[in-house]
């Protein structure tokens, strides 16, 4: 059975989320390694919270990167096989690249802190927004964004940024434009269009300044050719050249996450099961809607991880 591992990004964090994996030394060691790389105690932050602190982008990104890597290491320690491919949703792509040996974990933790700060600071607080649009096809969402931007002569940005599943797309941009796009989407037949509790318009073109800062940091790092195929967000491509991987990560910051196409690419590779590697079940829920014939599981706790050890042999 060919299977892939996918890593979650922002939105799956919660206080004490790693308690679901028991008292595992490999999990705690991974957090200790991340804390040393960052110069602060991530484990205490994770354990004590509060949730509002975990939700701050500069904290969420290092925490979710570390959580994904910790669960991957736990999977291997328990005898799990190497996957046929890996991918990650937005920030989760960095966990996938660590798993594939492209970026050293000790480099990845401070790297995503830089990424988080750059994205947070690219747009003034309160000026940007994101919204989930449900029950509307991609073409109509693009049209809703076009109409919303045209209403003010194109002076405000709103774009589709996360193609998460059929009928589930996220748009982002200037707050007023996002609100108008939600109104238009409802007139075009959307079942729901709701603002998300996020602090910046991630993956929109407003993130280009963040991409510049990220590029400068990535240029300082030594990336290696992947030991596992990594399907990237921005092109739905498997790259082997570290320079091309670096360039794709820069574009990823201001480009849409093409998750539906990523899962369909896995199906075309002969992958029959996709396992979400990390806390939560967000990606597992999306996967089953993205491609026929692809099963999904979530390694969301120790019991599910150990259960998957048998089913994925």
């Amino acid at each position: 059975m060919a299977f892939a591992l996918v890593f979650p990004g922002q939105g799956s964090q919660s206080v004490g989320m790693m308690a679901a994996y028991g008292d595992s030394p490999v999990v705690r060691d991974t957090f200790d390694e991340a804390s040393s790389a960052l110069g602060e105690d991530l484990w205490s932050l994770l354990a004590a919270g509060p949730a509002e602190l975990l939700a701050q982008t500069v904290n969420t990104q290092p925490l979710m990167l570390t959580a994904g890597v910790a669960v991957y290491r736990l999977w291997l320690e328990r005898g799990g096989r190497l996957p046929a491919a890996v991918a990650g949703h937005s920030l989760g792509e960095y966990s996938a690249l660590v798993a594939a040996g492209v970026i050293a974990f000790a480099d990845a933790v401070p790297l995503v802190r830089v990424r988080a700060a750059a994205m947070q600071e690219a747009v003034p607080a309160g000026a940007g927004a994101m919204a989930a649009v449900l029950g509307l096809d991609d073409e109509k969402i693009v049209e809703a964004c076009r109409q919303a931007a045209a209403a003010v002569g194109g002076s405000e940005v709103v774009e589709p940024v996360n193609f998460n599943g059929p009928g589930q797309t996220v748009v982002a941009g200037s707050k007023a434009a996002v609100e108008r796009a939600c109104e238009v989407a409802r007139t075009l037949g959307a079942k729901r269009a709701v603002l998300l509790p996020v602090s910046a318009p991630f993956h929109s073109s407003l993130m280009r300044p963040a991409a510049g800062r990220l590029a400068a940091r990535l240029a300082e790092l030594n990336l290696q050719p992947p030991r596992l195929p990594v399907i990237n967000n921005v092109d739905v491509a498997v790259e082997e050249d570290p320079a091309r991987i670096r360039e794709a990560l820069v574009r990823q910051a201001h480009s849409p996450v093409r998750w539906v196409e990523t899962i369909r690419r896995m199906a075309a590779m002969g992958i029959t099961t996709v396992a979400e590697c990390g806390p939560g079940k967000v990606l597992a829920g999306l996967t089953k809607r993205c491609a026929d014939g692809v099963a999904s599981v979530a390694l969301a706790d120790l019991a599910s991880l150990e259960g998957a050890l048998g089913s994925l042999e």
Side-chain angles (χ1 to χ4, degrees), residues 6-279:
V6 295
F7 295 85
Q10 288 186 239
S12 292
Q13 73 277 357
S14 62
V15 176
M17 62 188 176
M18 301 310 294
Y21 298 95
D23 188 17
S24 169
V26 70
V27 169
R28 187 58 185 268
D29 288 349
T30 302
F31 272 82
D32 287 347
E33 184 181 347
S35 296
S36 295
L38 206 57
E40 62 184 73
D41 189 348
L42 289 181
W43 185 262
S44 294
L45 173 62
L46 173 67
E52 293 79 12
L53 199 55
L54 265 64
Q56 292 179 8
T57 299
V58 292
N59 294 324
T60 308
Q61 295 202 21
L63 284 169
M64 287 306 301
L65 167 77
T66 304
V69 172
V71 176
Y72 180 66
R73 290 176 174 179
L74 181 61
W75 167 260
L76 296 179
E77 182 191 62
R78 295 296 176 108
R81 292 189 297 123
L82 290 174
V86 293
H89 189 283
S90 186
L91 167 73
E93 187 168 313
Y94 288 79
S95 300
L97 289 166
V98 171
V102 176
I103 306 176
F105 182 51
D107 289 335
V109 178
L111 171 64
V112 300
R113 169 60 63 81
V114 169
R115 178 182 185 266
M119 295 176 93
Q120 185 63 64
E121 295 163 11
V123 177
M130 301 181 77
V133 181
L134 307 180
L136 198 64
D137 63 45
D138 294 347
E139 292 77 11
K140 289 183 178 179
I141 290 173
V142 170
E143 175 61 17
C145 291
R146 187 197 67 76
Q147 290 187 31
V152 288
S155 61
E156 294 176 346
V157 168
V158 59
E159 302 155 337
V161 294
N162 290 355
F163 294 97
N164 288 332
Q168 183 172 333
T169 301
V170 174
V171 302
S174 307
K175 185 176 181 181
V178 170
E179 290 171 342
R180 285 196 303 275
C182 288
E183 294 172 2
V184 176
R186 294 185 194 103
T187 68
L188 294 177
K191 293 179 181 178
R192 292 184 68 199
V194 295
L195 292 176
L196 298 176
V198 297
S199 55
F202 302 121
H203 295 290
S204 73
S205 58
L206 296 177
M207 292 289 107
R208 286 186 181 276
R213 289 175 60 183
L214 180 61
R217 182 70 185 99
L218 277 164
E220 299 171 355
L221 301 182
N222 181 25
L223 273 56
Q224 300 296 319
R227 297 193 293 263
L228 297 169
V230 182
I231 303 173
N232 68 27
N233 286 185
V234 68
D235 300 314
V236 197
V238 177
E239 300 287 2
E240 297 184 358
D241 180 359
R244 291 180 63 86
I245 293 171
R246 184 183 285 109
E247 187 269 338
L249 283 176
V250 173
R251 287 188 290 119
Q252 189 230 46
H254 62 82
S255 301
V257 174
R258 298 162 61 184
W259 196 248
V260 177
E261 293 173 86
T262 297
I263 300 303
R264 291 176 179 172
R265 174 72 186 268
M266 289 179 173
M269 295 167 64
I271 289 166
T272 55
T273 302
V274 175
E276 181 172 2
C277 189

